[in-house]
Amino acid sequence: MIEIRGLVKQYPGAAHPAVDHLTLAVPEGCVCVLIGPSGCGKTTTMRMINRLVEPDAGSISVGGRDVLHVDPVSLRRSIGYVIQQVGLFPHWTIADNVATVPKLLGWDEGRIAARVDELLELVGMEPATFRSRFPRELSGGQKQRVGVARALAADPPVMLMDEPFAALDPISRGRLQDEFLRILRSLRKTIVFVTHDIDEALKLGDRIAILRDGALVQYAAPEAILARPADAFVESFVGTDRALKRLGLIQVEAALEATGPVAPSLSIAAHANLRDALARMLEGGVDSLAVTGANGALLGVLTMSGLRRHTRTRDAADDQ
């Protein structure tokens, strides 16, 4: 879906390129997270995809189109864009903000109204309640939801997201990440997501591109990066708790065991991750948890010994 080849951006007066011969491919329906230290080139790379920054060399294609040969305004209308500051028009209603691109594309009023309501429902905001409100009447998390709805309004195949949740408090940020994942699973958009938070990258990304000084250091699935960091820089960047982070990528149901004669007193949902399960065991002073499904039904158990076995099995598979 997105092909970047030999991309270069050199700002005047800078000793080194902001982006240095970057080559990267993002498959259709994939969430690609760009991450790295400040000044590594992640935001510049993303902004070259929709030509908010013009590259000095290299090529970028989106859906088979060379973006350097497409009118920039037309290009941007076909790519969703969500930023940290949201950028809602303060004197427009929420409905008008969401409808920005469809209006520019000449949609009729009925189609626009239906799409606004559909998207507000998708991001968890009741249309009858929020359609006529103004941005000043919303919380930070609600504004971000509207920003995502606006970016999705014309149903673009590609979305660019530049640290959209960075300004939120940890609780709101976690909820928005979960909501974002729910939306992604239902829509299967191709997304380039910039963040400075490795935990956010591991949670949201299908593939993670770690950049340093404008160059690509490693590009792989989250678990592969945690299991096999490319070098000492990546190993340091992802942190010393790589084993715990890997547990956070595995759902409890992957290590499910049959229930014994007596179910454990504490429980955890099957869709929770093994890191949360381990924390629950340690906090509760137990070595097993009952595992429940969406309707609360008992599916099986997770034991500390089973968790260890599952981890060792994955480690052995990674070493092969």
Side-chain angles (χ1 to χ4, degrees):
M1 171 57 77
I2 302 175
E3 293 276 350
I4 296 172
R5 295 185 181 278
L7 199 62
V8 176
K9 182 62 185 179
Q10 175 81 53
Y11 289 109
H16 304 286
V19 177
D20 191 3
H21 294 89
L22 178 65
T23 295
L24 190 68
V26 183
E28 184 174 0
C30 175
V31 181
C32 169
V33 177
L34 305 181
I35 190 169
S38 296
C40 70
K42 52 187 183 290
T43 295
T44 299
T45 297
M46 189 196 70
R47 287 165 66 89
M48 283 192 281
I49 294 173
N50 66 354
R51 293 182 61 189
L52 287 172
V53 171
E54 293 290 347
D56 294 321
S59 66
I60 306 168
S61 69
V62 175
R65 291 193 308 168
D66 185 341
V67 303
L68 300 181
H69 295 153
V70 177
D71 173 68
V73 174
S74 173
L75 175 69
R76 290 169 201 146
R77 289 178 183 173
S78 69
I79 295 177
Y81 189 41
V82 184
I83 59 175
Q84 180 179 330
Q85 296 82 8
V86 188
L88 301 180
F89 296 107
H91 303 301
W92 289 10
T93 65
I94 300 311
D96 287 335
N97 269 284
V98 174
T100 301
V101 175
K103 286 181 177 179
L104 292 172
L105 294 175
W107 290 19
D108 65 68
E109 291 185 5
R111 184 183 179 192
I112 289 174
R115 183 62 172 162
V116 167
D117 286 357
E118 176 188 1
L119 287 168
L120 288 177
E121 289 179 356
L122 183 68
V123 299
M125 299 177 72
E126 175 58 41
T129 301
F130 291 98
R131 188 191 300 114
S132 299
R133 290 189 182 181
F134 291 87
R136 64 178 177 273
E137 301 175 87
L138 304 184
S139 68
Q142 288 170 336
K143 290 177 183 176
Q144 285 294 356
R145 290 173 186 268
V146 174
V148 171
R150 182 175 62 182
L152 289 167
D155 198 22
V158 173
M159 289 183 65
L160 308 179
M161 308 190 76
D162 191 3
E163 303 206 49
F165 312 134
L168 302 177
D169 64 86
I171 294 176
S172 297
R173 184 172 187 165
R175 288 174 179 167
L176 260 293
Q177 289 170 345
D178 291 340
E179 195 75 10
F180 180 60
L181 282 173
R182 179 187 65 80
I183 293 169
L184 289 185
R185 291 192 183 106
S186 66
L187 299 181
R188 297 302 299 164
K189 299 291 183 183
T190 303
I191 295 174
V192 177
F193 190 107
V194 167
T195 184
H196 65 277
D197 184 333
I198 187 61
D199 289 321
E200 182 168 72
L202 294 169
K203 181 176 183 178
L204 298 180
D206 297 313
R207 304 286 299 275
I208 298 175
I210 299 181
L211 306 180
R212 184 184 189 188
D213 297 331
L216 183 65
V217 182
Q218 187 168 5
Y219 184 45
E223 189 166 354
I225 285 177
L226 291 173
R228 299 178 296 279
D231 58 18
F233 167 76
V234 175
E235 187 171 4
S236 173
F237 188 81
V238 299
T240 56
D241 58 342
R242 287 190 293 123
L244 284 176
K245 285 187 170 77
R246 288 186 71 194
L247 289 180
L249 301 176
I250 307 168
Q251 289 191 330
V252 167
E253 61 186 354
L256 195 65
E257 300 177 42
T259 309
V262 180
S265 57
L266 297 181
S267 65
I268 193 164
H271 66 263
N273 62 64
L274 291 182
R275 181 168 60 178
D276 290 344
L278 177 60
R280 187 155 178 75
M281 287 183 191
L282 295 175
E283 289 169 0
V286 299
D287 61 3
S288 64
L289 297 170
V291 179
T292 58
N295 58 358
L298 181 65
L299 301 180
V301 298
L302 174 71
T303 64
M304 185 70 78
S305 58
L307 190 154
R308 292 195 192 100
R309 281 197 304 274
H310 186 78
T311 303
R312 285 197 296 268
T313 299
R314 294 179 79 98
D315 286 342
D318 288 335
D319 289 339
Q320 291 177 356

